[in-house]
Amino acid sequence: MAEAVELEAGGRTVRLSNPGKVFFPEHGYTKLDLARYYQAVAPGILRALRNRPTTLERYPDGITGEWFYQKRAPKNMPDWIPTAHITFPSGRSADEMCPTEEAAVLWAAQYGTLTFHPWPVRRDDVDRPDELRIDLDPQPGTDYDDAVRAAHELRAVLEEFGGLRGWPKTSGGRGLHVFVPIEPRWTFTQVRRAAIAVGREMERRMPEHVTIKWWKEERGERIFIDYNQTARDRTIASAYSVRPRPNAPVSAPLRWDEVGVAHPADFDITTMPARFAGLGDVHADMDDHAYSLDALLELASKDERDHGLGDLPYPPEYPKMPGEPRRVQPSRAKKQPGPTAP
């Protein structure tokens, strides 16, 4: 391994040990390549992470080695990186790092962080999200083009219910994410309820192409709108994050006129720097907006009142939530015996 190198970032020096360590064997991309990539897109990823409690997805020995999610701020984290105290669904709590400058991103890269998973909150109010995040997740038998078709209909739904505007990005895989900046007025439960309302409206419009069925056995070959990505402690990879796949793809912010034209394979740690140098952060104006969820929450109330559509299951690690239906997949529920007659 080559000797350590020192990287300058905003007046700070970040030491990168073993810069030649290969993180992506198929292409030979190294830890230094990863760090240089994050330097190249620093304003963009900082816009996505700034002041947000952030979980680190770490691969200390590259994508072929062991990996883990770092939720708690590491003990060796520099004191100039701020933290936020967040509470998990279990009731436990932790301090998570909140990147505010380029050097914090490079420090995380030094410890093998590929993907940054920011909460949809800021550290000054960790219980009220300021983003509604819609995850369009292709199921077996579907692909990115199917997610694109859903995304364009989603754009229309958002506009119809409250004049909302979404900012799309590739997931770094086969899916698409659409983020809507919102006023930090609502709880995680309320924001999740708005996401469910979006999903149900999408199902009505595209029943053969979109589903919000939580159980995989019910989804079929459709795009799954993962409403539970809006639940507390569920996060989505940030814009510009590197994903742990052989070609080092990145989650790429897009303009709406690029959705369906650009392809996830277009964006990796070798191509995104040139795009960023030419276009800058195409989501740079996100923080200039903050929309209301009132229309979506009214839609949720209408679904409940007129159609009897209540809550949907939470992820398995969550405690049972008020009003939640039975958390049992349908095929198992059918096998369970009913009540015995007296």
Side-chain angles (χ1 to χ4, degrees), residues 39 53 195 234 267 319:
Q39 283 187 305
R234 295 296 283 256
F267 309 108

Side-chain angles (χ1 to χ4, degrees), residues 194-271:
I196 290 172
V198 169
R200 285 178 168 148
E201 182 64 21
M202 288 287 289
E203 277 189 327
R204 283 189 282 267
R205 298 185 182 201
M206 307 180 74
E208 301 301 318
H209 302 284
V210 168
T211 182
I212 58 168
K213 298 292 186 184
W214 177 246
W215 305 108
K216 291 183 179 180
E217 64 187 31
E218 294 186 305
R219 294 177 191 170
E221 295 184 359
R222 292 179 286 184
I223 297 297
F224 173 48
I225 296 182
D226 190 353
Y227 61 89
N228 270 330
Q229 291 289 27
T230 54
R232 179 183 289 272
D233 193 34
R234 295 296 283 256
T235 56
I236 294 177
S238 77
Y240 301 102
S241 271
V242 179
R243 308 314 307 273
R245 296 182 175 87
N247 63 318
V250 303
S251 180
L254 301 175
R255 301 185 304 258
W256 275 108
D257 62 5
E258 295 179 298
V259 176
V261 178
H263 191 275
D266 298 336
F267 309 108
D268 59 36
I269 65 171
T270 65
T271 61

Side-chain angles (χ1 to χ4, degrees), residues 33 36-41 240 250 267-280:
D33 292 326
R36 293 294 191 200
Y37 163 75
Y38 278 127
Q39 283 187 305
V41 300
Y240 301 102
V250 303
F267 309 108
D268 59 36
I269 65 171
T270 65
T271 61
M272 179 57 80
R275 172 181 167 87
F276 194 89
L279 297 178

Side-chain angles (χ1 to χ4, degrees), residues 44-293:
I45 195 164
L46 282 176
R47 188 267 311 156
L49 299 179
R50 185 172 285 111
N51 284 320
R52 297 190 184 280
T54 300
T55 297
L56 309 178
E57 187 176 345
R58 293 177 53 189
Y59 292 76
D61 296 311
I63 64 169
T64 59
E66 295 184 0
W67 66 279
F68 58 95
Y69 289 110
Q70 178 94 47
K71 291 191 174 185
R72 298 177 183 275
K75 292 182 179 179
N76 66 337
M77 191 176 74
D79 58 10
W80 48 264
I81 300 178
T83 62
H85 195 72
I86 47 87
T87 302
F88 303 118
S90 65
R92 294 182 179 181
S93 62
D95 293 322
E96 285 202 346
M97 73 175 294
C98 296
T100 57
E101 53 185 291
E102 178 185 345
V105 176
L106 296 182
W107 177 86
Q110 148 65 13
Y111 290 97
T113 300
L114 298 189
T115 308
F116 294 83
H117 295 268
W119 282 46
V121 299
R122 309 281 182 170
R123 64 190 176 106
D124 58 353
D125 188 350
V126 296
D127 293 316
R128 296 186 183 276
D130 67 347
E131 287 181 345
L132 168 66
R133 299 173 174 179
I134 308 297
D135 181 9
L136 301 174
D137 184 9
Q139 300 303 290
T142 65
D143 57 20
Y144 180 74
D145 290 337
D146 295 300
V148 164
R149 183 176 179 183
H152 285 298
E153 188 62 39
L154 171 62
R155 186 185 187 188
V157 169
L158 294 173
E159 172 62 32
E160 183 173 334
F161 291 93
L164 308 182
R165 175 185 168 193
W167 277 254
K169 68 182 185 70
T170 67
S171 67
R174 299 188 306 139
L176 276 166
H177 303 148
V178 178
F179 286 10
V180 180
I182 60 174
E183 300 167 2
R185 292 168 43 198
W186 297 276
T187 64
F188 279 94
T189 301
Q190 291 171 312
V191 173
R192 178 179 175 275
R193 185 166 172 251
I196 290 172
V198 169
R200 285 178 168 148
E201 182 64 21
M202 288 287 289
E203 277 189 327
R204 283 189 282 267
R205 298 185 182 201
M206 307 180 74
E208 301 301 318
H209 302 284
V210 168
T211 182
I212 58 168
K213 298 292 186 184
W214 177 246
W215 305 108
K216 291 183 179 180
E217 64 187 31
E218 294 186 305
R219 294 177 191 170
E221 295 184 359
R222 292 179 286 184
I223 297 297
F224 173 48
I225 296 182
D226 190 353
Y227 61 89
N228 270 330
Q229 291 289 27
T230 54
R232 179 183 289 272
D233 193 34
R234 295 296 283 256
T235 56
I236 294 177
S238 77
Y240 301 102
S241 271
V242 179
R243 308 314 307 273
R245 296 182 175 87
N247 63 318
V250 303
S251 180
L254 301 175
R255 301 185 304 258
W256 275 108
D257 62 5
E258 295 179 298
V259 176
V261 178
H263 191 275
D266 298 336
F267 309 108
D268 59 36
I269 65 171
T270 65
T271 61
M272 179 57 80
R275 172 181 167 87
F276 194 89
L279 297 178
D281 179 15
V282 297
H283 286 188
D285 63 334
M286 266 189 73
D287 289 346
D288 297 335
H289 302 268
Y291 295 99
S292 170
L293 290 180

Side-chain angles (χ1 to χ4, degrees), residues 270-328:
T270 65
T271 61
M272 179 57 80
R275 172 181 167 87
F276 194 89
L279 297 178
D281 179 15
V282 297
H283 286 188
D285 63 334
M286 266 189 73
D287 289 346
D288 297 335
H289 302 268
Y291 295 99
S292 170
L293 290 180
D294 286 342
L296 284 179
L297 291 174
E298 176 55 34
L299 176 61
S301 295
K302 182 179 179 181
D303 282 341
E304 294 159 5
R305 180 180 64 248
D306 298 346
H307 305 291
L309 299 174
D311 203 355
L312 293 172
Y314 274 78
E317 69 273 16
Y318 277 62
K320 182 68 176 178
M321 300 296 286
E324 181 189 1
R326 291 180 66 197
R327 204 180 295 173
V328 180

